[in-house]
Amino acid sequence: MNLIKKWKQISAVQFLLSVMLVGLVSCNEDSSTNTNSDAQSQHPSLILTQQGVKDIRANLGSIPIFDKTLAANKVEIDAEIENGFDVPIPKDYSGGYTHATHKRNYILMQKAGVLYQILDDEKYAKFVKDMLFQYAKMYPTLPIHPKPRSYARGKLFWQCLNDSNWLVYTSQAYDCIYDYLSEEERTTLETDLFKPYADFISKENPQFFNRVHNHSTWGNVAVGMIALAMEDDSLLQTALYGLKDVNLDASLKDNDGGFINQDDQKIGYFANLDEPFSPDGYYTEGPYYQRYAMYPFLIFAQALQNKKPDLKVLEYKEGVLLKGVNALLNLSDADGDFFLLNDAQKGMSYYNSSLISAVDIAYHFGGNNPELLSIAEKQDEVTLDDAGLAVAIGIKEGKTKPFVKKSIELSDGANGDEGAVGILRSGDLELVHKYTAHGLSHGHYDKLSFALFEDGKEVVQDYGMARYVNVEQKGGGNYLKENTTWAKQSIAHNTLVQNEQSHFQGKYDIGSKHHSESYIFSVNTDSVQVSSAKEENAYPGTKLHRTMVSIKETDLENPYVLDIMRVESSTENQYDLPFYYLGQVIQTSFDYSKSDVPQILGSANGYQHLYNEAISVADGANAKLTWLLDNKFYSYTAVTSHNDEIILARIGANDPAFNLRSEPTMIIRKRNTKEAVFVAAIESHGTYNPVSELAVNAYSHIKDVQLSYNDSNYTAVTIEDTKGGVQLFIIANNDNSKTKKHTLTINSTSHFWEGPYTLIKIK
Amino acid sequence: MNLIKKWKQISAVQFLLSVMLVGLVSCNEDSSTNTNSDAQSQHPSLILTQQGVKDIRANLGSIPIFDKTLAANKVEIDAEIENGFDVPIPKDYSGGYTHATHKRNYILMQKAGVLYQILDDEKYAKFVKDMLFQYAKMYPTLPIHPKPRSYARGKLFWQCLNDSNWLVYTSQAYDCIYDYLSEEERTTLETDLFKPYADFISKENPQFFNRVHNHSTWGNVAVGMIALAMEDDSLLQTALYGLKDVNLDASLKDNDGGFINQDDQKIGYFANLDEPFSPDGYYTEGPYYQRYAMYPFLIFAQALQNKKPDLKVLEYKEGVLLKGVNALLNLSDADGDFFLLNDAQKGMSYYNSSLISAVDIAYHFGGNNPELLSIAEKQDEVTLDDAGLAVAIGIKEGKTKPFVKKSIELSDGANGDEGAVGILRSGDLELVHKYTAHGLSHGHYDKLSFALFEDGKEVVQDYGMARYVNVEQKGGGNYLKENTTWAKQSIAHNTLVQNEQSHFQGKYDIGSKHHSESYIFSVNTDSVQVSSAKEENAYPGTKLHRTMVSIKETDLENPYVLDIMRVESSTENQYDLPFYYLGQVIQTSFDYSKSDVPQILGSANGYQHLYNEAISVADGANAKLTWLLDNKFYSYTAVTSHNDEIILARIGANDPAFNLRSEPTMIIRKRNTKEAVFVAAIESHGTYNPVSELAVNAYSHIKDVQLSYNDSNYTAVTIEDTKGGVQLFIIANNDNSKTKKHTLTINSTSHFWEGPYTLIKIK
């Protein structure tokens, strides 16, 4: 634990350094463009500055990644100008034509605005202007969007969220062509379009605007960006600090079931920085939404930095925005795909455009961390602004260093004391252990769950969300009902389920009051890394304690994961521990009988979506499952008790529209039990080559796993491998002091160690 | 059809040219090393020649792809020499230790032998010699292999097939170190090991050796290679022309159910060239086994070319071996993976080592076709012999041209008159239409079936075989019983099934007597390509006629496939047409009711392995299924009749050991029907980007497909697209003359055309 603190101290020092650097940068900028209000009222001044434009123009042709992005944007926008544009009457949900077109339009305007500044060619300004005037003509005529599903319906789009997206981008375009427009033109646009637009998403939709939620962030930033572009200070105050004197019904909920009006509701941009971000930069909804939220947070921060440097927004909460970029990059697998935590669609990655701007802004305003350049190189694109220029020059000058992702614990909660995500990295394996707070309305009921990745491929999966974003045929591209009935439920995750009920009864108002507790996160040696956490509220009267250990033994090729889930309850319960392996069953150590026809596993709480395909009654020996995924062999070796049931199940029951993926799981079930310890080892041990048809190390290297000791104070597990090695892992269950000395006698042998756990090589 | 003939004529000319070139090469070689029997008895002389070794040594360091392969082999073999080797007592099935070790050993010996020749370092020769002597010591003591499953059990391996593999490689190693050994040492090896080994796989296993089958090819070549190495002409005769005067029981079958002794059984290497290869170079078992067979065929041809040039083996049957390489490369998708025809494991590709040697040999001995160099470049490896040297020099000299895969029909049958495989290529789509002969014991019962690939990804799948080759846990790595009960059955394929019976009753002795007939293969324009074939023996009294058309319309982005399956029977039957799409259901145009619990679809012939998940009764309108695979949107738009049933099913029933993959299908079922036409359009129309979350063209572009006309003479289909285009495709069902003039009146409009089909743009 000291190490963690040390790490945090180092981070703090780094942060102070970076603040100083930011200060220097700010000073430089102050001296050149931003010293007086005149300078600050120049345009462009949001993401581009006048000095930045000069520098870009001076460097063009000699900054490959920037030149390439610019050329690609030019080709795209030139073609669009050629083709003409459409500003259709709003009609569709996401995925439909009018939705997609308005979304395209704001991106095109933003890009065209930037091209105008950089290339100084009026055709780009004209394109933006023409489109803006079409919007200005249509907007005053628009009723509320006809699609009724949102708690905050927009005008251009079915929800204010998308209206806000539009304004965030369009403000940048407006800033870029500000000087190209006549004063009269500006007045028309501001009067007919921007001001009423900003009012609509704020004053007319306080239930959307006045929250701590990614929706509100977009709303706040939309208003803030246009306020900066129009230099409307009153509007800027609304953006930064929320709408004052609004009373909302305390029982209001959003479409995801999240409460809109909390006690002591904090509001505005800064409030949205305070609450969902932990001091480590983890955003409580998880990386999928953090990715989405980072764009408005950072783009506005960049604009504020340029236009209102005195606010020192990037220093806010000890530089939480810049830490957020670091956290987000660490929440991705080897391919840059984000880990699945809470509602999240698979395949979202740091190649998303919002991460391109996040990385560039973090580099430019965050002390020029050369590791960020390696991410930018992979992204192979930069933002066409001052930040992107800085990155392009950094890369050109050969400053790039690899971004090394290490094991890391990222705290959750505004103060960092509401659980955490623990990520253990060893070899090609990345294990994500979730013991966070609920994650607002996008949270899933999966305390102490985990997922395992190998080399960028998910091996033991988190299902993610039940949604096909922007695929109109699937529920308009919105959340599907199976997101609630399946994806959010505990049984859909790799965690313990008691009596076929989800954690917190699957109720947001209960779940959002609690969080798990980090118990140990210790990653100082590569040979043994531990992430251990407790959850005592998911089921009243029941205590859960899960310890996940990554062990790298010298005589085994790959590291393996040891999973110890302890449960103690005052009553007898049924405990299910699912294991969502992905791939094809190769072999099991246990006999099972496969049903002729699969039965539905249960009636509610997600169980109604599982087919029971085969069942086995354990004999007390290890239950081993070997499976093949993407030409790799994996094994799960679980300790069982006599009469444990092993259920081989598959997702897909009660799924009338084939919304769910047909994927397997293995569930270990203990009935009528008060206390239990589920122990298992998870390995990646072999490979298959379909071209040479060679299977290498197709068999598990774990010979035996045993629970050697368990009481309220200590739990010990013995792992024997096929090379003859024997290891004993002991954890102290109630004392995580790094300096406490322990003694434990197991089978007449006494073991001594210091700190909350030990791994002893017996053979 | 004229075009095809023309193509064949051109090929014939090319072949004559290549024969001349080969002649020249042979003459050159004759003049340098092979003019007298002394020269031909020099060593090495199988895959390396003395002149070749000189040339290689002279070029080393300046031929990158060769140098790289050599360096990799050196690193590998040096490490093996360091580690030492094992020659264990044979015990295991494929996948087990002794199997894998003996397999490794022969590859290591072959490589070490080559390294000895090229690098002139005796440690490599010693490695081979030491291992050979261990084998020579063990071999005389060995009983028949203890595993009983094969019809021809080996000694080192469980089947003679693998024993033959060993000898094919080991002969090369022996040839390489021949001069390093003393005469006494050679006598020991030949007397104790090679001669009895060759006798065992020939004389003692005539049921293995005396056939036309890939097993026998390996056997013949094994004996032939060691015969050449030992210069044993009598043994060579046995290899080339088989064992004389052997009488085998006519009822004998091999493990795959194939008859061993046919009427007028042809035997020996040349017989194996005669029968399974068509004049186009298609090998009747399909590309997966062709890949496997090509290695022995070609390696022996290479050795014969070097050692017995007078046999002119590469000119045999108009150069069928070199044509075979071309056929095989054309039977691969964009990634080089072979199409699945008959028993075949997915993922096998032209990256397999046997294709590396095939490509190199075809280049070196087949007229230096520069397109082969592009395949060699992708393989990024060459054989370390004269052929590999030629390729390396070709690449180095910049001669590479792209290997362009076009639409092609490859005839089946020794005389090319037993049906064919038709491959239509258009844009990124590759459609494989199977109307071949049975394919010997590896044949599946799927006349007129098809599979569709896009850009190297299988979209509408052929299941392939039910086997995990060399994965010991799955039935010893051998064929699983589900290969017979599922994978070979008609319902497992994209073809018509009558009355839930497989074609030819699923009986090999019936199926192997018949083949489908090519009716039209016309690919002269990219806008419309047609592959049409008939099958009249699969179900006595029932005629099947399937026409697959690739259509590239100017107003649609992608080409699409039109599928017309006509069936005429003298009796009323149930007809099922399955469609094995891969991916997730996005939308259907028809309502269906999904069962709470899936039911098993049928009781036999593969139906027992399908779960019926959902059912719909057609209303006579088009039934459209849109699905998502790998971020692409596809649609299947099928014409239905009132009361057709649409069954959404999934593989996996009666699969007690999870041997099958859980994958979906959609079946259109017509009951109590004599004549019917199944018509459908298959499109790839859109993409999804999980990073930008944009769905582009998520909806089908086919608005309507109608059967506009059908009688015994003509069938016409109208396709209307969403851009307003309307096309009419007409086929003459009983006259495939290219010059015949046709008139057909449909709905008072008369259409005139010449040739067996036409595509008319109505709008």
Side-chain angles (χ1 to χ4, degrees), chain B residues 543-615:
Chain B
K543 294 177 179 181
L544 302 174
H545 180 188
R546 187 173 218 163
T547 302
M548 308 215 67
V549 192
S550 163
I551 298 174
K552 176 88 194 80
E553 272 188 53
T554 46
D555 53 349
L556 295 185
E557 238 169 86
N558 297 330
Y560 64 91
V561 172
L562 181 63
D563 174 18
I564 306 170
M565 172 69 100
R566 291 183 77 239
V567 52
E568 287 180 342
S569 181
S570 50
T571 53
E572 288 200 341
N573 301 294
Q574 172 184 301
Y575 299 123
D576 286 348
L577 188 66
F579 180 75
Y580 284 89
Y581 69 97
L582 283 171
Q584 181 80 26
V585 173
I586 290 298
Q587 195 177 39
T588 64
S589 66
F590 49 90
D591 290 332
Y592 52 82
S593 70
K594 192 155 176 278
S595 317
D596 279 356
V597 162
Q599 299 305 308
I600 296 174
L601 191 60
S603 57
N605 306 321
Y607 281 78
Q608 74 278 20
H609 291 296
L610 284 170
Y611 287 122
N612 178 348
E613 293 195 313
I615 195 154

Side-chain angles (χ1 to χ4, degrees), chain A residues 288 345 352 468-470 472-474 584-585 587 592 594 597-598 652 655-656 658 660 688 691 693 698-699, chain B residues 288 345 352 468-470 472-474 584-585 587 592 594 597-598 652 655-656 658 660 688 691 693 698-699:
Chain A
Y288 178 80
Q345 181 165 278
N352 184 274
Y468 295 78
V469 180
N470 290 328
E472 196 187 28
Q473 297 107 311
K474 287 286 196 192
Q584 182 80 26
V585 173
Q587 195 177 39
Y592 51 83
K594 193 155 176 276
V597 164
D655 174 27
F658 290 97
L660 298 177
Y688 186 72
V691 175
E693 298 188 327
Y699 288 92
Chain B
Y288 177 79
Q345 182 165 277
N352 183 275
Y468 295 77
V469 180
N470 291 328
E472 196 188 28
Q473 297 108 312
K474 287 286 197 192
Q584 181 80 26
V585 173
Q587 195 177 39
Y592 52 82
K594 192 155 176 278
V597 162
D655 174 27
F658 290 97
L660 298 177
Y688 186 73
V691 174
E693 296 187 329
Y699 289 91

